[in-house]
């Protein structure tokens, strides 16, 4: 008899007039066999490969569109993986796979843009064989992705330096034909004469060719040792060489504007992410 059939001190009914079921004995309730917890069958494990990523996420990370929109493009047959059209939802790819949307190869990393206000004493390179401190140390906590500096600043030059994993953006911001605007605050070892300032404004002929300056002027409210210079040339050490050509020594060089980005609310040695609007503005440079 099941335990649940007996309550309290009530005795089982012994009325002999009630017939037992044929075959003798009471009819027993059927119970499912209890399986010890430690012997229960575990649910099947889902194989997860950290090197794989859903195709729609891959496309979204590449900056093409949202994941939901990516599903639409996948279903429409606009996406290929290693040369084959894939229209399956939930399809996973490796980060090294050749994924293309409308024929254009995609980068699976989410595009990131970091702006640093560089201090003195750091060289602009991803690593240095001589063990010198690099700008990468200053942004080491900014991202898990590998970022690269856009252009470079000398070891003793301070100011704005952009980092990104967006190769197309890097090419645009460093190619001479786009004429990216850069403004420097220059401090010299002596007063700059009005005649020399005029020479700079008109352009100079250096050992590696002519250089054209967009604008040059004394810093308002300061001495004539301080000059603001706007230039779009990306040639190596170009600002220092302009003043050295006229026999001035640059004692301080600070880049205060780069491609429309400024140092506002960004202390020396600190970094920040670009805002979505700033990224859009950079993309509009032509």
């Amino acid at each position: 008899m099941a335990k649940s059939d007996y309550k309290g001190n009530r005795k089982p009914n012994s009325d002999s007039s009630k017939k037992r079921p044929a075959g003798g004995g009471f009819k027993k309730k059927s119970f499912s066999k209890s399986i010890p917890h430690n012997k229960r069958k575990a649910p099947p494990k889902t194989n997860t490969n950290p090197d794989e990523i859903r195709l729609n996420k891959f496309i979204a990370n590449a900056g093409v569109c949202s994941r939901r929109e990516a599903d639409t493009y996948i279903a429409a047959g606009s996406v290929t993986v290693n040369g084959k059209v894939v229209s399956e939802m939930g399809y996973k790819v490796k980060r090294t796979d050749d994924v293309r949307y409308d024929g254009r190869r995609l980068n699976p990393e989410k595009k990131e843009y970091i702006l640093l206000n560089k201090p003195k004493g750091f060289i602009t390179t991803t690593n240095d064989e001589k063990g010198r401190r690099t700008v990468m140390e200053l942004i080491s906590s900014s991202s898990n992705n590998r970022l690269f500096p856009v252009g470079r600043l000398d070891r003793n030059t301070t100011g704005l330096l952009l980092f990104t994993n967006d190769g197309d953006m890097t090419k645009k911001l460093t190619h001479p034909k786009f004429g990216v605007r850069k403004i420097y605050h220059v401090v010299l070892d002596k007063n700059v004469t009005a005649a020399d300032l005029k020479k700079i404004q008109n352009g100079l002929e250096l050992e590696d060719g002519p250089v054209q300056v967009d604008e040059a002027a004394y810093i308002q409210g300061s001495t004539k040792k301080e000059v603001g210079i706007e230039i779009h040339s990306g040639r190596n050490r170009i600002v220092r060489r302009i003043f050295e050509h006229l026999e001035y020594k640059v004692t301080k060089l600070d880049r205060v504007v780069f491609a429309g980005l400024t140092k506002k609310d960004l202390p020396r040695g600190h970094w920040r992410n670009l805002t979505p609007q700033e990224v859009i503005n950079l993309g509009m440079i032509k």
Side-chain angles (χ1 to χ4, degrees):
M1 181 184 296
K3 186 176 178 180
S4 59
D5 289 340
Y6 182 76
K7 298 180 181 178
N9 295 320
R10 182 172 59 84
K11 294 182 180 180
N13 192 337
S14 58
D15 188 350
S16 58
S17 62
K18 293 184 178 179
K19 293 183 179 180
R20 295 179 180 180
F26 292 101
K27 186 177 182 181
K28 295 182 179 180
K29 293 182 179 179
S30 60
F31 293 89
S32 59
K33 188 177 180 180
S34 178
I35 302 174
H37 180 73
N38 60 353
K39 292 185 179 180
R40 289 177 186 168
K41 198 171 183 180
K45 291 183 178 180
T46 305
N47 292 326
T48 56
N49 187 337
D51 295 327
E52 292 183 339
I53 181 175
R54 282 182 176 268
L55 182 54
N56 61 355
K57 184 178 180 182
F58 188 110
I59 296 169
N61 285 354
V64 174
C65 58
S66 68
R67 290 197 199 184
R68 185 177 299 240
E69 291 170 326
D71 284 335
T72 302
Y73 297 141
I74 293 169
S78 301
V79 179
T80 62
V81 178
N82 299 326
K84 296 181 180 179
V85 174
V86 172
S87 56
E88 176 187 338
M89 294 297 105
Y91 189 86
K92 289 188 176 183
V93 295
K94 294 179 180 178
R95 297 179 184 275
T96 54
D97 284 340
D98 183 345
V99 178
R100 296 177 184 258
Y101 167 67
D102 278 350
R104 179 169 65 92
R105 185 164 186 176
L106 306 181
N107 184 335
E109 289 185 347
K110 182 179 180 181
K111 290 182 174 63
E112 296 186 71
Y113 308 85
I114 302 294
L115 186 65
L116 169 72
N117 187 349
K118 177 188 172 297
K120 289 178 67 174
F122 292 82
I123 61 172
T124 306
T125 184
T126 53
N127 55 67
D128 182 61
E129 295 177 354
K130 298 179 180 179
R132 293 173 295 181
R133 304 186 75 181
T134 76
V135 290
M136 305 310 295
E137 299 175 34
L138 300 170
I139 64 158
S140 59
S141 62
S142 65
S143 172
N144 292 324
N145 292 327
R146 191 177 182 193
L147 306 180
F148 297 89
V150 178
R152 61 176 56 238
L153 291 178
D154 297 337
R155 185 175 185 177
N156 291 324
T157 300
T158 60
L160 296 178
L161 186 61
L162 182 66
F163 297 79
T164 184
N165 56 352
D166 185 342
D168 292 336
M169 183 70 77
T170 298
K171 289 178 183 177
K172 176 184 287 189
L173 296 178
T174 55
H175 199 288
K177 78 173 184 178
F178 292 102
V180 172
R181 179 171 174 253
K182 299 178 279 280
I183 299 178
Y184 293 84
H185 179 183
V186 192
V187 180
L188 292 311
D189 61 334
K190 58 186 178 182
N191 288 343
V192 178
T193 67
D196 283 341
L197 189 61
K198 189 70 174 176
K199 289 178 183 177
I200 294 171
Q201 292 168 342
N202 292 335
L204 297 171
E205 183 74 30
L206 302 183
E207 62 274 13
D208 59 346
V211 59
Q212 189 64 46
V213 171
D214 300 311
E215 190 175 346
Y218 296 118
I219 298 293
Q220 195 170 14
S222 187
T223 69
K224 292 187 177 181
K225 288 183 178 180
E226 299 187 38
V227 173
I229 183 168
E230 180 179 335
I231 195 167
H232 62 266
S233 172
R235 283 149 63 182
N236 190 35
R237 300 183 68 253
I238 190 63
V239 175
R240 291 184 185 275
R241 291 196 291 124
I242 286 172
F243 287 96
E244 287 170 0
H245 180 77
L246 297 172
E247 299 183 348
Y248 294 91
K249 181 181 178 181
V250 175
T251 61
K252 179 182 176 182
L253 184 59
D254 186 38
R255 185 155 72 183
V256 295
V257 174
F258 176 73
L261 304 170
T262 72
K263 299 196 302 177
K264 183 180 179 182
D265 300 326
L266 187 60
R268 186 88 72 217
H270 289 67
W271 59 267
R272 68 171 177 83
N273 291 285
L274 293 195
T275 66
Q277 185 59 53
E278 287 173 327
V279 175
I280 291 172
N281 293 344
L282 291 181
M284 293 175 66
I285 292 176
K286 294 181 180 180

